[in-house]
Amino acid sequence: MMKRIFQLLLSLVLLPVLYAGQPNFIVFLTDDQGYNDVGCYGAPNLKTPNFDRLAEEGVRFTSAYSAAPLCGPSRSALMTGSYPIRIGEPGNTKGLHTIPHTKELMIPEVLREVGYTSAIIGKWHAGETKTQGDPLSQGFDYFFGTPKYNGNTKLITDTKLRTSVMRNREVFIETVEQEEMNQLTTMYTEESIRFITENQDKPFFLYLAHNMPHTPLGVSDKFRGKSAGGLYGDVIEELDWSLGQILNTLEELDLDENTVLVFVSDNGPWIHEKIGDHAGSADPLRGAKAMSWEGGSRVPCIIRWPNIIQAGQTSDALITLMDLLPTFSALSGSDLPGELRIDGKDLTPLLTGTVVESPHKYFYYYCYTQLHAVRDAKWKLVLPRVAKPKWMKWRRLSIDAVKEIELYDLESDIGETTNVASMYPEVVDRLLRQVESARSELGDCDRIGSAARFYDSAPKRPGILEYKDWAASRKGEKL
């Protein structure tokens, strides 16, 4: 406790005393927006003046990662500060699509202890969606949005899957059809402005989790056909408009300097033959959503806090979505339980310029429950694997084979084009030891981690037997 108080006092000394009381927090999360789908990240055909303004007034990160290359696990990691394989789930499973146990501690629960009001406006997809595990049971005071995704096809008519729009626990829109999809970004923006306005006199946390640009796409008439990037470009430019409305509201209410605003995508773009031109771009990265190559989990991320964060910075320090929970905790003055083991790090020293290095020594690329790779400051070690493993069910379609250990220098080879494992055997050996450390603590598809969380009395990871049986049937083929 005393250590935590000392850290808080130290951080406040380091921060200019330019804000009154606790800062507000806004997370502007987009869904499947690629690394290259923002003007200031190199998008050639997209106009994103508000995203670009955010970068001019804050810090643009070039090595920001989600903790998973898929929506649900990524959002669960954001909320809990933990790798999905560490997160406890109902029935002691470790699912391919993480469903956090209601005993998991999430950001709004941490902030509630020190007086914050919290809202999620947009897509939840980080827990069960009825009376347990929905946003209201995990600390949020208000929910307006969809419990989960609305399909993964190019057109909404290509699937029977539909979601609803909820206001708290009441159905606001029964089923989201194309007409409703076209209005989601506008509706979420208006709801967000209303929440900010109504809570301007007290500290708040707004989690604005847009459904776009996840397919099927939707865009309002005021942006349809207006961009040079086709329908996908129209969607991105409407998201940029949404961010602009939030920035304008903060300025009008004189909340600008007292608000930490984070823009980030939940994972890379969904690039699949059935989606075609309705997907984004991860250039110059390799891979896309559902893959453990850089394009799957390296995402655009900009953080702005006027007069606290030096404007116009670009940082290659490795950060993750998991860092938001400990950072918000530190800046709000809340205490995380001492026994809670999380993977996120407090970014306050990095954001305030006290340090320039990443607080992470290593980052682990889990693809569902399988460890695919590990990164340190510049090296990425990729482990051998088979293509399209059956135990991953339909998600296997994006998994390609890696026949031998691969090593990439991400500083000089961001596109992961040249395997240099034979040139640096000492790096390979060191990172392989770290792989075993991660497998021991967090687990892997075929083993249970010593520090993975389990809350129920059921056997731990009952589905792991299915994987082991399948692995045995491969007759010694390396996985």
Side-chain angles (χ1 to χ4, degrees):
M1 179 67 178
M2 291 302 298
K3 180 181 178 182
R4 183 68 188 85
I5 294 173
F6 175 77
Q7 290 174 334
L8 174 61
L9 291 174
L10 180 61
S11 68
L12 291 177
V13 169
L14 295 173
L15 296 176
V17 187
L18 295 175
Y19 63 95
Q22 300 156 307
N24 305 308
F25 302 110
I26 297 178
V27 175
F28 188 101
L29 185 76
T30 54
D31 195 341
D32 293 2
Q33 184 172 4
Y35 187 82
N36 190 236
D37 292 337
V38 187
C40 60
Y41 281 84
N45 299 317
L46 302 178
K47 294 180 180 179
T48 57
N50 294 300
F51 289 132
D52 298 346
R53 173 192 165 189
L54 207 67
E56 292 169 0
E57 298 176 356
V59 54
R60 180 177 69 96
F61 289 95
T62 56
S63 286
Y65 290 87
S66 62
L70 200 70
C71 304
S74 172
R75 290 157 190 265
S76 298
L78 187 159
M79 283 287 110
T80 64
S82 300
Y83 284 106
I85 198 169
R86 189 190 294 277
I87 296 170
E89 298 191 49
N92 285 346
T93 63
K94 295 291 181 188
L96 299 181
H97 215 292
T98 312
I99 299 175
H101 198 285
T102 54
K103 291 184 178 179
E104 283 289 334
L105 185 67
M106 295 193 176
I107 291 176
E109 295 172 293
V110 172
L111 296 178
R112 174 179 282 179
E113 296 301 312
V114 288
Y116 279 72
T117 299
S118 298
I120 170 174
I121 295 171
K123 172 181 162 184
W124 174 230
H125 210 195
E128 296 291 351
T129 55
K130 295 183 180 179
T131 58
Q132 291 188 344
D134 71 341
L136 299 184
S137 67
Q138 295 283 183
F140 283 101
D141 300 288
Y142 181 66
F143 171 40
F144 180 86
T146 63
K148 58 181 181 179
Y149 62 104
N150 204 44
N152 50 24
T153 55
K154 181 173 182 176
L155 302 175
I156 197 168
T157 52
D158 293 336
T159 177
K160 295 180 180 180
L161 178 64
R162 298 290 187 276
T163 187
S164 58
V165 174
M166 308 291 293
R167 189 185 297 279
N168 294 324
R169 291 190 175 119
E170 301 296 323
V171 175
F172 181 73
I173 298 174
E174 186 70 36
T175 58
V176 175
E177 304 293 342
Q178 188 63 59
E179 182 178 354
E180 290 77 22
M181 290 285 290
N182 292 339
Q183 298 305 315
L184 284 182
T185 299
T186 297
M187 284 194 295
Y188 291 165
T189 305
E190 293 172 350
E191 285 284 330
S192 296
I193 291 172
R194 185 177 301 112
F195 173 79
I196 293 170
T197 303
E198 292 176 353
N199 292 278
Q200 61 182 298
D201 295 326
K202 53 189 174 183
F204 63 80
F205 166 46
L206 170 62
Y207 179 36
L208 173 49
H210 279 290
N211 287 67
M212 297 296 124
H214 191 299
T215 56
L217 298 176
V219 67
S220 66
D221 289 341
K222 61 182 179 289
F223 287 93
R224 184 178 297 276
K226 301 298 176 61
S227 80
L231 178 59
Y232 186 86
D234 298 344
V235 170
I236 294 295
E237 293 189 7
E238 184 167 29
L239 289 169
D240 181 80
W241 164 83
S242 174
L243 176 64
Q245 297 300 297
I246 300 301
L247 290 171
N248 292 343
T249 300
L250 294 175
E251 290 179 341
E252 291 168 3
L253 298 178
D254 198 26
L255 298 174
D256 203 39
E257 294 186 357
N258 195 37
T259 301
V260 180
L261 198 160
V262 180
F263 153 64
V264 67
S265 176
D266 66 345
N267 48 248
W270 185 238
I271 298 176
H272 192 277
E273 59 183 9
K274 293 184 179 180
I275 302 301
D277 58 0
H278 283 211
S281 169
D283 290 345
L285 307 179
R286 178 179 179 179
K289 175 179 177 177
M291 301 178 183
S292 54
W293 302 113
E294 291 296 288
S297 56
R298 193 189 291 212
V299 292
C301 177
I302 305 169
I303 303 180
R304 172 185 182 267
W305 189 5
N307 299 318
I308 305 297
I309 295 175
Q310 182 181 346
Q313 297 181 75
T314 296
S315 172
D316 195 44
L318 194 161
I319 67 169
T320 81
L321 285 180
M322 299 179 290
D323 300 330
L324 296 183
L325 183 146
T327 303
F328 292 175
S329 174
L331 292 174
S332 68
S334 64
D335 283 314
L336 293 177
E339 71 279 4
L340 180 64
R341 194 166 184 173
I342 62 172
D343 302 293
K345 308 293 184 184
D346 177 11
L347 297 179
T348 303
L350 181 62
L351 296 177
T352 57
T354 306
V355 301
V356 296
E357 300 84 7
S358 169
H360 294 275
K361 191 169 183 180
Y362 299 102
F363 176 74
Y364 304 111
Y365 299 76
Y366 276 91
C367 200
Y368 314 112
T369 58
Q370 187 173 25
L371 182 58
H372 277 191
V374 60
R375 176 185 171 174
D376 67 3
K378 72 178 245 181
W379 299 108
K380 179 176 179 180
L381 182 82
V382 180
L383 300 168
R385 61 176 183 260
V386 297
K388 299 179 174 58
K390 293 181 180 179
W391 65 273
M392 284 189 181
K393 301 183 171 63
W394 69 266
R395 298 167 181 85
R396 71 186 185 277
L397 299 177
S398 298
I399 307 303
D400 53 357
V402 175
K403 295 183 179 180
E404 61 183 5
I405 288 174
E406 298 178 359
L407 181 70
Y408 297 98
D409 179 350
L410 294 179
E411 283 186 0
S412 61
D413 183 20
I414 193 174
E416 300 173 278
T417 62
T418 305
N419 178 14
V420 295
S422 62
M423 299 170 59
Y424 299 96
E426 72 285 355
V427 176
V428 171
D429 289 343
R430 175 172 59 82
L431 292 179
L432 280 175
R433 289 194 295 271
Q434 198 57 39
V435 164
E436 289 308 311
S437 176
R439 284 172 167 163
S440 175
E441 178 184 341
L442 296 170
D444 207 337
C445 55
D446 62 345
R447 69 192 72 182
I448 297 172
S450 62
R453 292 193 285 269
F454 299 93
Y455 296 106
D456 295 336
S457 58
K460 296 178 180 179
R461 293 187 65 180
I464 203 169
L465 296 176
E466 176 185 350
Y467 171 81
K468 288 182 176 179
D469 289 345
W470 175 81
S473 73
R474 303 295 290 189
K475 297 180 181 179
E477 182 177 5
K478 288 186 177 181
L479 303 177

